[in-house]
Amino acid sequence: MAALRGLPWFAKVYLVAVIGAAFALLGYSVAVSGRLEQLDWSNLLVLALLFLVCESVPTLLNVKQAAVSVSFSAALAAVVLVGPEGAALVGMTAVFSVRPGLPLVKRLFNGAQFAVCGYVAGQVYEWLGGGVGLPTIAGFDDLIVPFVGAAAVFVPLNFILIALVLALTGQADQVPLRGLAQFMVSYLGYATFGLLIAGLWATVSSISAVLVLLPLFVARWAFGQYHAQQRSYDATIAALCQAVETKDYYTRGHCTRVSLASGMIAHEIGMGSERLRAIRYAGMLHDVGKLGVPTKVLQKDGPLTEEEFAAIQLHPMRGLEIVRGIDFLDEAFAGIMHHHERQDGKGYPMGLAGDEIPEFARIIAVADAFDSMTSDRSYRGARPVEVAMAELRKGAGTQFDPVMVVAFIKAVDRDGWEPPRKVTTPPAGEAETTTKDHDDPTMPIQVVSER
């Protein structure tokens, strides 16, 4: 139990409570109800093997040490075929998962939470009138409503137990809750595999486990492909951001913070999950066009010439040229291209005004300016969040979309905002820094005429 030592005390209490509850349920089944003696052990062993195989090859998520599997289908089949106690025993076999490097405490928790979910789902199944044992063809229709009830309890309960352990162990901030909610809904769909196993069992006995194993692994493969694709997307975005931020020592982390703030605004105005992902990508890549701006222009002291300022104004278009071939960015292209447009039409590169400006660009404009104001720059220190908010309000209707400003202020008031850490001044010559910031609305770039 060495893995428990580094956990907060409340996380330890929770883990012990879930593990203790699972063993208490099994103990009650043995000592009080006596129902374990009535189990069909041959069917239970085959279901346990199916569950264990699926649990041993899960799909890793973009969360540290977190994974999902489709093994719950076998647990739900066990609810029908061997009842609550059998479903609990099937779930408990997660302790014996052959996944390498899995700590004992995590094995125990996984087995315990599956056992609790299986037992509770089994009780709901019986309460709704479901019969335990091999279903008959004539009586199969009578199983559907009780099975749906059991699945509707099993999946959310499993979600809650896992979400709580993530929250208590400090990993909740890494979990995209909307994404996990989608997984929960998807799992309700995959739960029908459990009913399929039970139905086939009545005609082809345990061979049904083999028949269902293939689609279960196809489902697992699909999960894996989806997350592998997401990880490759994230790696692509991160590499481009790193390249942009080498232009200026003081803007390191700016892309990530703009992405976060853009996501907060998008969430506040009710964007769907796919558009939320796209706006976060747009926030990460909004300044990628800086790669096409000469470093000497960004680092120049004093006012810029009209030609030099034109080079800066072209960076949104340069950004679009750089990322145009990345198909998955989709709507993010508009955010990258137009995030320096203004509500009054005095922005660049196209001078769009009001609703002519794409929604993504209006979101990024607010997030970009806010992070610029609350971050250290070579020529000034970071401004307090309150000062930056006041500046956003001041610019609402002229520079910024008032709807996006209000949404961001509401989101920050509710969720808070953690300003970036204080940037230490780098030794002379060891890091590139710019002497001006085109994102800062309080310090516009000075331009001199060449005439």
Side-chain angles (χ1 to χ4, degrees):
M1 292 292 182
L4 281 173
R5 294 174 186 168
L7 297 177
W9 67 268
F10 38 84
K12 296 177 183 178
V13 171
Y14 175 73
L15 290 172
V16 171
V18 173
I19 294 169
F23 281 100
L25 289 174
L26 293 176
Y28 170 81
S29 299
V30 173
V32 181
S33 72
R35 291 184 58 171
L36 285 181
E37 299 175 2
Q38 305 170 22
L39 291 178
D40 184 335
W41 287 95
S42 60
N43 286 339
L44 189 146
L45 289 174
V46 175
L47 286 166
L49 179 61
L50 174 62
F51 179 93
L52 185 59
V53 169
C54 294
E55 182 63 18
S56 296
V57 283
T59 297
L60 297 179
L61 298 180
N62 294 331
V63 181
K64 185 179 180 182
Q65 292 186 334
V68 295
S69 75
V70 289
S71 55
F72 67 96
S73 297
L76 285 169
V79 165
V80 177
L81 296 170
V82 289
E85 293 77 15
L89 285 173
V90 168
M92 189 61 80
T93 59
V95 173
F96 304 106
S97 170
V98 296
R99 288 168 57 191
L102 198 63
L104 177 60
V105 66
K106 191 165 184 179
R107 291 175 182 273
L108 288 172
F109 174 78
N110 285 344
Q113 63 94 4
F114 274 122
V116 170
C117 292
Y119 187 87
V120 173
Q123 293 293 339
V124 170
Y125 173 79
E126 290 189 331
W127 179 73
L128 291 174
V132 175
L134 290 177
T136 62
I137 296 176
F140 186 77
D141 290 349
D142 297 331
L143 300 180
I144 295 176
V145 172
F147 182 86
V148 170
V153 170
F154 186 103
V155 174
L157 182 57
N158 174 259
F159 172 80
I160 291 169
L161 291 174
I162 293 175
L164 282 174
V165 78
L166 288 172
L168 294 174
T169 54
Q171 298 182 69
D173 59 332
Q174 303 178 51
V175 181
L177 291 179
R178 282 178 175 253
L180 283 183
Q182 286 184 324
F183 272 121
M184 189 168 65
V185 173
S186 299
Y187 267 24
L188 286 170
Y190 282 117
T192 57
F193 279 117
L195 187 59
L196 178 61
I197 294 173
L200 288 173
W201 210 286
T203 55
V204 291
S205 189
S206 58
I207 298 176
S208 67
V210 178
L211 295 176
V212 176
L213 190 61
L214 181 59
L216 283 178
F217 274 97
V218 170
R220 182 260 176 190
W221 175 83
F223 270 128
Q225 289 298 106
Y226 172 78
H227 282 286
Q229 184 181 57
Q230 291 303 312
R231 285 192 291 271
S232 68
Y233 289 172
D234 293 343
T236 300
I237 300 297
L240 285 169
C241 286
Q242 188 174 17
V244 173
E245 291 179 351
T246 58
K247 284 276 189 177
D248 184 3
Y249 175 82
Y250 283 88
T251 60
R252 292 174 186 176
H254 172 67
C255 294
T256 303
R257 294 189 297 273
V258 172
S259 175
L260 174 62
S262 297
M264 292 171 67
I265 298 171
H267 184 273
E268 189 67 30
I269 64 175
M271 275 193 182
S273 58
E274 290 302 314
R275 296 189 75 209
L276 269 172
R277 183 179 297 112
I279 190 65
R280 291 183 181 121
Y281 286 152
M284 291 285 282
L285 293 175
H286 72 284
D287 271 345
V288 71
K290 281 185 176 179
L291 293 172
V293 179
T295 304
K296 65 179 182 180
V297 173
L298 295 174
Q299 295 181 340
K300 181 180 178 181
D301 287 317
L304 298 180
T305 66
E306 291 176 341
E307 182 181 353
E308 290 167 339
F309 187 55
I312 287 181
Q313 288 182 310
L314 284 174
H315 88 268
M317 299 181 72
R318 296 278 184 263
L320 184 62
E321 291 171 3
I322 291 170
V323 301
R324 189 187 294 276
I326 305 178
D327 293 338
F328 67 82
L329 290 178
D330 195 24
E331 197 176 355
F333 292 139
I336 295 168
M337 173 73 170
H338 296 290
H339 70 279
H340 277 294
E341 305 286 1
R342 291 170 52 106
Q343 287 291 294
D344 56 13
K346 297 179 180 179
Y348 59 86
M350 298 182 67
L352 303 181
D355 290 340
E356 295 176 338
I357 305 170
E359 188 177 35
F360 272 31
R362 285 179 273 143
I363 290 173
I364 294 172
V366 173
D368 193 19
F370 176 78
D371 183 67
S372 176
M373 290 186 283
T374 55
S375 303
D376 285 326
R377 292 293 183 262
S378 60
Y379 53 88
R380 61 152 176 82
R383 292 180 170 84
V385 169
E386 296 76 15
V387 173
M389 289 297 191
E391 197 64 37
L392 291 179
R393 292 189 185 94
K394 179 181 175 182
T398 54
Q399 181 172 356
F400 308 114
D401 182 345
V403 174
M404 304 308 174
V405 171
V406 170
F408 184 56
I409 292 172
K410 285 183 180 178
V412 172
D413 286 344
R414 183 184 63 249
D415 302 328
W417 178 265
E418 185 176 349
R421 62 178 178 79
K422 184 74 176 175
V423 178
T424 56
T425 304
E430 290 193 11
E432 291 186 346
T433 62
T434 61
T435 58
K436 50 188 65 65
D437 185 357
H438 59 278
D439 299 329
D440 188 346
T442 65
M443 300 187 70
I445 294 174
Q446 300 298 313
V447 182
V448 295
S449 175
E450 298 175 281
R451 297 175 184 173

